[in-house]
Structure formats: C-alpha cells, structure tokens
Amino acid sequence: MSDINAEVHKAFEIIQNGGIILYPTDTVWGIGCDATNAEAVKKIYALKQREETKSMIVLMNGDKMMYNVFKDIPETAWQILDLSEKPTTLILDNPRNVAANIIAEDKTLGVRIVKEPFCFKLMERMKKPLVSTSANISGQPTPKSFKEISPEIIKGVDYVVNLQRDKICDKPSTIIKLSLDNQVKIIRK
C-alpha cells in the first residue's frame, strides 16, 4: 500500500500543472482537478464525454473553504451537515472563486465537505476546492470499485492515486438543494 503523504504529493504536482486525477473519495472513485482551473475542468468534461451544461460536484475540506466560495450560506446548510450521518452534497446558490464551467446554469454549485484523509490532505496542500465527478463515461453506470472503472477513464487521466484500490462503495452521496430563500429539495437520497 502506498503512503498517503506520497500520494498526496504526486496528486498535488499533477493538479498544480492543470492535470486531472483519478482518486478515492468518501464515496465512489472520482475524477478530479483544481476547481478554479477552467482548462482542467474542460479536460474532465471531454474525458467523460459529458455536456458542459451538466455541472460537477466540488469537494471542500471545511468551513473556511466554503465561505471562500459562497458568501451567503443558509443556516440550514450547517444543520444538515451536522446531522447527516453519511456523505452529503449540498447544492448552494451563487458560488464564486471557482471555474465558471463547473457552475450550473441556475448559478448553483454542488459541494461536499470531506473528512476522507486523502482528499482532506490534498485540499490542504492545494488550498483550493477539488472537482469530484464519478469515474465513468457520461450515461454509463457509476463504478462501485476501482476494478469497475473502464480502461478508457484510467488511460484518460494524468494520474491514478494508488490508495484504497480494494474499497467497494455502492452508494454515492445524498444530494440536497438549498436555495438562499431556504427552500430544501432532496435530489438524491
């Protein structure tokens, strides 16, 4: 098993240079890049053969990063995050300081605060949020484990993180949309 700090270092180098990585998250394996780098984000859309109108989730490592991206965060958001027992993605209004091409047409962005050690440490190094989208070609099933990821995806990224290759995850995160006027909508349980 590779050392987590060494993997964080390798992934960080790739991301610094505008590359994209394949990595384990707190849920399924993800394809990621620097969420502030529009060119890197484009590479992920191209690899997934996904329309740029479909936004992607962004991972963050805490409150400070959240406030850097969202000026106004509804109180409900913090309550949901405190109470949720499993990984929860919140879709919030009016993100800023991220690449324009990951923001949805309705000016929202899906975010998840992660405690997973690799992602957490990587974002500590980056000091920026990390794009996270499932490791599949758009329209194909989400791989539940590293073994299920298609060779096309593995060849298409700049670096594959050598951690948790045996992990099986059959559940993506819960997704909840929260608007500034406090409307709450469950998108994926």
Side-chain angles (χ1 to χ4, degrees):
M1 194 53 139
S2 191
D3 166 47
I4 187 166
N5 293 327
E7 288 302 314
V8 165
H9 179 74
K10 288 175 195 162
F12 175 72
E13 299 276 287
I14 297 290
I15 285 174
Q16 280 286 86
N17 294 312
I20 61 177
I21 63 167
L22 181 60
Y23 66 104
T25 73
D26 52 341
T27 59
V28 296
W29 273 76
I31 305 172
C33 69
D34 171 353
T36 65
N37 183 333
E39 286 304 308
V41 170
K42 265 190 192 151
K43 288 183 192 172
I44 295 180
Y45 279 119
L47 176 60
K48 283 184 65 94
Q49 299 166 27
R50 183 177 177 141
E51 295 161 44
E52 287 207 23
T53 52
K54 286 191 164 184
S55 60
M56 295 187 277
I57 291 173
V58 171
L59 301 181
M60 303 196 179
N61 67 359
D63 303 8
K64 191 176 165 206
M65 207 173 265
M66 285 281 285
Y67 279 111
N68 186 35
V69 176
F70 300 98
K71 198 173 101 198
D72 303 305
I73 300 173
E75 190 47 47
T76 330
W78 301 115
Q79 291 164 350
I80 291 171
L81 292 173
D82 288 345
L83 297 171
S84 56
E85 287 169 14
K86 59 182 214 157
T88 300
T89 299
L90 294 178
I91 299 177
L92 300 173
D93 289 332
N94 304 324
R96 58 195 179 152
N97 302 329
V98 291
N101 55 349
I102 53 169
I103 299 173
E105 290 176 323
D106 63 355
K107 302 277 177 277
T108 60
L109 181 64
V111 294
R112 192 162 78 238
I113 294 182
V114 289
K115 311 264 185 286
E116 193 284 318
F118 171 78
C119 296
F120 189 88
K121 287 181 171 197
L122 178 58
M123 285 183 281
E124 260 184 349
R125 283 284 303 270
M126 291 166 62
K127 300 191 180 10
K128 290 176 186 166
L130 180 66
V131 169
S132 183
T133 180
S134 55
N136 57 336
I137 302 291
S138 209
Q140 292 181 358
T142 300
K144 294 181 176 75
S145 66
F146 183 77
K147 285 186 196 73
E148 291 180 15
I149 300 170
S150 78
E152 199 175 345
I153 294 284
I154 293 172
K155 284 190 198 94
V157 298
D158 300 301
Y159 185 66
V160 179
V161 173
N162 190 17
L163 295 168
Q164 300 180 38
R165 296 271 175 105
D166 301 328
K167 184 178 104 163
I168 290 171
C169 177
D170 49 4
K171 275 243 159 49
S173 66
T174 299
I175 300 181
I176 300 174
K177 186 169 187 164
L178 270 189
S179 52
L180 284 173
D181 56 7
N182 278 321
Q183 286 184 44
V184 177
K185 188 172 160 200
I186 310 253
I187 294 187
R188 180 170 71 195
K189 264 198 142 106

